[in-house]
Amino acid sequence: MPRPITSGPIQWLLSLIFILQMYLSMLVLGIVYLPYALLNRDGAVAACHAFCAWVRFSLRIICGLRTEIRGEVPQGEVLIAPKHQSFLDIILIYGALPRAKFIMKAELRFAPILGWYALRIGCVPVNRGKRGVAITQMMAEVKSGLARPGQLIIYPQGTRVAPGEALPYKIGTAALYSQLGQPCVPVGTNVGLFWPKRGILRHRGLGVVDFLPAIPPGLSNTAFMSLLEAQVEASSNALMQEAGYP
Protein backbone atom coordinates (compact mmCIF):
# COMPACT_ATOMS: atom_id res chain seq x y z
CA MET A 1 0.00 0.00 0.00
CA PRO A 2 1.44 3.46 -0.88
CA ARG A 3 2.56 5.70 1.95
CA PRO A 4 1.14 9.22 2.39
CA ILE A 5 3.35 12.00 1.09
CA THR A 6 3.29 13.82 4.47
CA SER A 7 6.03 11.71 6.03
CA GLY A 8 9.02 14.05 6.28
CA PRO A 9 10.97 15.03 9.41
CA ILE A 10 8.85 18.14 10.06
CA GLN A 11 5.64 16.09 10.02
CA TRP A 12 7.26 13.55 12.36
CA LEU A 13 8.23 16.33 14.79
CA LEU A 14 4.72 17.80 14.67
CA SER A 15 3.33 14.34 15.32
CA LEU A 16 5.54 13.94 18.37
CA ILE A 17 4.40 17.32 19.70
CA PHE A 18 0.79 16.32 19.14
CA ILE A 19 1.20 13.02 21.01
CA LEU A 20 2.92 14.65 23.99
CA GLN A 21 0.27 17.35 24.35
CA MET A 22 -2.52 14.79 23.86
CA TYR A 23 -1.42 12.77 26.88
CA LEU A 24 -0.83 15.95 28.85
CA SER A 25 -4.38 17.07 28.06
CA MET A 26 -5.66 13.67 29.21
CA LEU A 27 -3.96 14.23 32.56
CA VAL A 28 -5.19 17.81 32.90
CA LEU A 29 -8.79 17.06 31.93
CA GLY A 30 -8.81 13.95 34.11
CA ILE A 31 -7.85 16.03 37.13
CA VAL A 32 -10.13 18.98 36.33
CA TYR A 33 -13.21 16.79 35.85
CA LEU A 34 -12.42 14.38 38.70
CA PRO A 35 -14.68 15.96 41.38
CA TYR A 36 -17.64 16.04 38.97
CA ALA A 37 -16.89 12.51 37.78
CA LEU A 38 -16.73 11.20 41.36
CA LEU A 39 -20.12 12.69 42.18
CA ASN A 40 -21.88 11.77 38.95
CA ARG A 41 -21.18 9.49 36.00
CA ASP A 42 -22.24 12.36 33.75
CA GLY A 43 -19.05 14.08 34.83
CA ALA A 44 -16.98 11.21 33.50
CA VAL A 45 -18.89 11.29 30.22
CA ALA A 46 -18.35 15.06 29.96
CA ALA A 47 -14.62 14.61 30.60
CA CYS A 48 -14.31 11.99 27.87
CA HIS A 49 -16.27 14.12 25.40
CA ALA A 50 -14.05 17.12 26.19
CA PHE A 51 -10.93 15.02 25.61
CA CYS A 52 -12.26 13.74 22.27
CA ALA A 53 -13.08 17.28 21.14
CA TRP A 54 -9.62 18.51 22.09
CA VAL A 55 -7.87 15.65 20.29
CA ARG A 56 -9.79 16.39 17.09
CA PHE A 57 -9.03 20.10 17.33
CA SER A 58 -5.34 19.75 18.17
CA LEU A 59 -4.85 17.03 15.56
CA ARG A 60 -6.11 19.36 12.84
CA ILE A 61 -4.10 22.37 14.06
CA ILE A 62 -0.80 20.58 14.74
CA CYS A 63 -0.72 17.71 12.24
CA GLY A 64 -3.10 18.88 9.53
CA LEU A 65 -5.26 15.78 9.98
CA ARG A 66 -8.91 16.72 9.65
CA THR A 67 -11.71 14.43 10.85
CA GLU A 68 -15.28 13.89 9.79
CA ILE A 69 -18.31 11.99 11.09
CA ARG A 70 -20.68 10.67 8.43
CA GLY A 71 -24.04 8.96 8.57
CA GLU A 72 -26.79 9.16 11.16
CA VAL A 73 -25.32 9.06 14.65
CA PRO A 74 -27.39 6.71 16.89
CA GLN A 75 -29.05 8.27 19.93
CA GLY A 76 -30.86 5.38 21.59
CA GLU A 77 -29.83 1.98 22.93
CA VAL A 78 -28.10 0.14 20.10
CA LEU A 79 -25.14 -2.14 19.57
CA ILE A 80 -22.37 -0.51 17.55
CA ALA A 81 -19.83 -2.60 15.62
CA PRO A 82 -17.03 -0.52 14.07
CA LYS A 83 -13.90 -1.22 12.12
CA HIS A 84 -10.95 -0.65 14.48
CA GLN A 85 -7.79 0.73 12.84
CA SER A 86 -6.29 3.03 15.48
CA PHE A 87 -6.94 5.05 18.63
CA LEU A 88 -8.43 7.76 16.43
CA ASP A 89 -11.57 5.78 15.57
CA ILE A 90 -12.20 5.38 19.31
CA ILE A 91 -11.94 9.16 19.71
CA LEU A 92 -14.25 9.93 16.79
CA ILE A 93 -16.90 7.34 17.61
CA TYR A 94 -17.08 8.04 21.34
CA GLY A 95 -17.07 11.81 20.81
CA ALA A 96 -20.01 11.57 18.40
CA LEU A 97 -22.24 9.36 20.57
CA PRO A 98 -24.29 10.76 23.48
CA ARG A 99 -23.54 8.00 26.00
CA ALA A 100 -21.31 5.24 24.70
CA LYS A 101 -19.50 2.43 26.48
CA PHE A 102 -17.05 -0.11 25.12
CA ILE A 103 -16.39 -3.79 25.39
CA MET A 104 -12.70 -3.38 26.23
CA LYS A 105 -9.63 -5.44 27.01
CA ALA A 106 -9.50 -6.17 30.74
CA GLU A 107 -5.91 -4.94 31.07
CA LEU A 108 -7.02 -1.42 30.14
CA ARG A 109 -8.58 -1.14 33.60
CA PHE A 110 -5.09 -0.51 34.94
CA ALA A 111 -4.16 2.26 32.48
CA PRO A 112 -3.60 5.54 34.38
CA ILE A 113 -6.60 7.91 34.17
CA LEU A 114 -7.96 6.18 31.06
CA GLY A 115 -8.79 2.97 32.91
CA TRP A 116 -10.68 4.63 35.77
CA TYR A 117 -12.70 6.86 33.46
CA ALA A 118 -13.48 3.92 31.18
CA LEU A 119 -14.99 1.99 34.09
CA ARG A 120 -16.80 5.10 35.29
CA ILE A 121 -18.59 5.60 31.96
CA GLY A 122 -19.71 1.96 31.98
CA CYS A 123 -17.18 0.17 29.79
CA VAL A 124 -17.22 -3.62 30.12
CA PRO A 125 -13.78 -5.23 30.65
CA VAL A 126 -13.37 -8.71 29.15
CA ASN A 127 -10.42 -11.04 29.71
CA ARG A 128 -8.69 -12.48 26.68
CA GLY A 129 -8.65 -16.26 26.54
CA LYS A 130 -11.01 -19.03 25.55
CA ARG A 131 -13.74 -17.74 23.28
CA GLY A 132 -16.62 -19.35 25.18
CA VAL A 133 -15.43 -18.06 28.54
CA ALA A 134 -14.97 -14.56 27.13
CA ILE A 135 -18.48 -14.49 25.66
CA THR A 136 -20.05 -15.74 28.90
CA GLN A 137 -18.20 -13.13 30.91
CA MET A 138 -19.09 -10.46 28.38
CA MET A 139 -22.80 -11.20 28.53
CA ALA A 140 -22.83 -11.28 32.34
CA GLU A 141 -21.12 -7.89 32.49
CA VAL A 142 -23.36 -6.35 29.85
CA LYS A 143 -26.57 -7.62 31.43
CA SER A 144 -25.53 -6.33 34.84
CA GLY A 145 -25.10 -2.85 33.33
CA LEU A 146 -28.33 -2.62 31.37
CA ALA A 147 -29.76 -0.20 33.93
CA ARG A 148 -27.47 2.45 32.43
CA PRO A 149 -28.79 3.13 28.94
CA GLY A 150 -26.44 3.98 26.13
CA GLN A 151 -24.68 2.75 23.04
CA LEU A 152 -22.61 -0.40 23.52
CA ILE A 153 -19.54 -0.55 21.26
CA ILE A 154 -17.80 -3.82 20.42
CA TYR A 155 -15.05 -4.18 17.84
CA PRO A 156 -15.98 -7.29 15.84
CA GLN A 157 -12.38 -8.19 15.01
CA GLY A 158 -11.33 -7.75 18.63
CA THR A 159 -8.26 -5.60 17.99
CA ARG A 160 -6.82 -2.91 15.76
CA VAL A 161 -6.46 -4.00 12.15
CA ALA A 162 -4.12 -1.99 9.94
CA PRO A 163 -5.26 -1.14 6.40
CA GLY A 164 -4.43 -4.06 4.14
CA GLU A 165 -4.53 -6.62 6.95
CA ALA A 166 -7.30 -9.21 7.26
CA LEU A 167 -8.55 -10.66 10.54
CA PRO A 168 -11.71 -12.73 11.11
CA TYR A 169 -14.83 -11.27 12.66
CA LYS A 170 -15.44 -12.86 16.07
CA ILE A 171 -18.66 -14.50 17.23
CA GLY A 172 -18.89 -12.36 20.39
CA THR A 173 -20.59 -9.60 18.40
CA ALA A 174 -23.29 -12.03 17.23
CA ALA A 175 -23.80 -13.23 20.81
CA LEU A 176 -24.44 -9.69 21.99
CA TYR A 177 -26.68 -8.92 19.00
CA SER A 178 -28.75 -12.04 19.59
CA GLN A 179 -29.12 -11.80 23.36
CA LEU A 180 -29.62 -8.04 23.64
CA GLY A 181 -32.22 -7.97 20.88
CA GLN A 182 -31.10 -4.51 19.78
CA PRO A 183 -30.34 -3.09 16.32
CA CYS A 184 -26.65 -3.10 15.40
CA VAL A 185 -25.03 -0.13 13.68
CA PRO A 186 -21.97 -1.01 11.53
CA VAL A 187 -19.26 1.64 11.27
CA GLY A 188 -16.60 1.93 8.58
CA THR A 189 -13.43 4.01 8.75
CA ASN A 190 -10.19 4.95 7.00
CA VAL A 191 -8.34 6.49 9.96
CA GLY A 192 -5.60 3.85 9.94
CA LEU A 193 -4.19 5.46 6.80
CA PHE A 194 -3.42 8.65 8.72
CA TRP A 195 -3.02 7.53 12.35
CA PRO A 196 -1.26 4.16 12.09
CA LYS A 197 -1.70 1.22 14.39
CA ARG A 198 1.86 1.75 15.64
CA GLY A 199 4.40 4.54 15.46
CA ILE A 200 4.53 8.29 16.00
CA LEU A 201 3.86 9.74 12.55
CA ARG A 202 0.42 11.26 11.95
CA HIS A 203 -0.30 12.11 8.31
CA ARG A 204 -2.24 15.00 6.82
CA GLY A 205 -5.57 14.20 5.22
CA LEU A 206 -9.18 13.49 6.11
CA GLY A 207 -9.94 10.72 8.59
CA VAL A 208 -13.55 9.56 8.47
CA VAL A 209 -15.85 7.31 10.45
CA ASP A 210 -19.12 6.42 8.76
CA PHE A 211 -22.18 5.29 10.72
CA LEU A 212 -24.10 2.93 8.42
CA PRO A 213 -27.82 2.04 8.50
CA ALA A 214 -28.71 -0.20 11.44
CA ILE A 215 -29.06 -3.95 11.01
CA PRO A 216 -32.44 -4.81 12.59
CA PRO A 217 -32.63 -7.45 15.34
CA GLY A 218 -33.81 -10.97 14.64
CA LEU A 219 -31.33 -12.30 12.09
CA SER A 220 -29.55 -15.61 12.64
CA ASN A 221 -25.98 -15.39 13.88
CA THR A 222 -24.65 -16.53 10.51
CA ALA A 223 -26.71 -14.06 8.50
CA PHE A 224 -25.92 -11.23 10.89
CA MET A 225 -22.15 -11.80 10.85
CA SER A 226 -22.08 -12.11 7.08
CA LEU A 227 -24.02 -8.86 6.62
CA LEU A 228 -22.01 -7.01 9.27
CA GLU A 229 -18.65 -7.95 7.77
CA ALA A 230 -19.77 -7.13 4.24
CA GLN A 231 -21.02 -3.68 5.20
CA VAL A 232 -18.12 -2.68 7.44
CA GLU A 233 -15.48 -3.84 4.96
CA ALA A 234 -17.23 -2.26 1.96
CA SER A 235 -17.55 1.08 3.75
CA SER A 236 -13.95 1.03 5.00
CA ASN A 237 -12.58 0.08 1.59
CA ALA A 238 -14.60 2.84 -0.09
CA LEU A 239 -13.33 5.43 2.40
CA MET A 240 -9.73 4.32 1.83
CA GLN A 241 -10.19 4.52 -1.92
CA GLU A 242 -11.65 7.99 -1.47
CA ALA A 243 -8.45 8.94 0.37
CA GLY A 244 -6.40 7.74 -2.62
CA TYR A 245 -5.47 4.21 -1.59
CA PRO A 246 -6.30 0.92 -3.32
Side-chain angles (χ1 to χ4, degrees):
M1 183 180 67
R3 298 294 298 171
I5 60 174
T6 57
S7 56
I10 293 177
Q11 189 69 23
W12 190 93
L13 179 59
L14 291 173
S15 300
L16 179 61
I17 293 170
F18 164 76
I19 292 169
L20 292 174
Q21 68 82 36
M22 180 184 74
Y23 285 109
L24 177 60
S25 70
M26 181 186 292
L27 174 62
V28 171
L29 290 170
I31 293 172
V32 168
Y33 278 89
L34 183 59
Y36 183 18
L38 286 170
L39 292 172
N40 193 316
R41 289 181 185 272
D42 289 343
V45 173
C48 294
H49 279 153
F51 175 69
C52 292
W54 174 255
V55 170
R56 293 184 68 184
F57 171 77
S58 60
L59 187 62
R60 175 171 57 85
I61 297 299
I62 298 172
C63 296
L65 175 49
R66 296 170 293 122
T67 54
E68 183 177 306
I69 309 295
R70 296 183 185 174
E72 184 176 351
V73 178
Q75 301 297 311
E77 289 191 79
V78 295
L79 182 64
I80 295 180
K83 185 75 172 179
H84 189 17
Q85 292 184 340
S86 77
F87 186 50
L88 182 55
D89 54 69
I90 295 177
I91 295 292
L92 297 183
I93 292 168
Y94 185 86
L97 293 167
R99 198 170 185 95
K101 50 193 174 183
F102 290 86
I103 300 291
M104 69 178 193
K105 295 183 291 187
E107 52 265 33
L108 289 178
R109 290 176 296 178
F110 308 109
I113 303 175
L114 180 65
W116 185 85
Y117 271 93
L119 293 176
R120 191 65 175 149
I121 65 175
C123 292
V124 182
V126 173
N127 290 313
R128 295 290 182 98
K130 294 182 179 179
R131 187 173 66 180
V133 174
I135 292 173
T136 300
Q137 178 190 352
M138 185 190 307
M139 289 309 306
E141 294 287 344
V142 169
K143 288 182 178 179
S144 70
L146 285 179
R148 296 190 296 271
Q151 301 80 40
L152 180 62
I153 302 168
I154 180 170
Y155 286 105
Q157 291 170 292
T159 189
R160 292 171 297 173
V161 181
E165 291 184 359
L167 284 180
Y169 279 56
K170 299 184 177 182
I171 194 64
T173 307
L176 285 173
Y177 166 80
S178 175
Q179 296 188 42
L180 292 177
Q182 296 176 352
C184 178
V185 176
V187 183
T189 190
N190 68 355
V191 298
L193 295 174
F194 309 102
W195 182 317
K197 180 178 177 180
R198 297 183 180 88
I200 291 175
L201 194 60
R202 306 290 183 258
H203 302 284
R204 295 177 179 271
L206 178 63
V208 180
V209 296
D210 185 15
F211 289 91
L212 304 171
I215 299 174
L219 297 181
S220 68
N221 284 356
T222 301
F224 166 72
M225 290 302 295
S226 177
L227 182 59
L228 174 66
E229 181 173 356
Q231 292 189 357
V232 170
E233 293 300 316
S235 172
S236 299
N237 289 338
L239 291 173
M240 288 190 289
Q241 280 190 317
E242 180 183 313
Y245 296 86

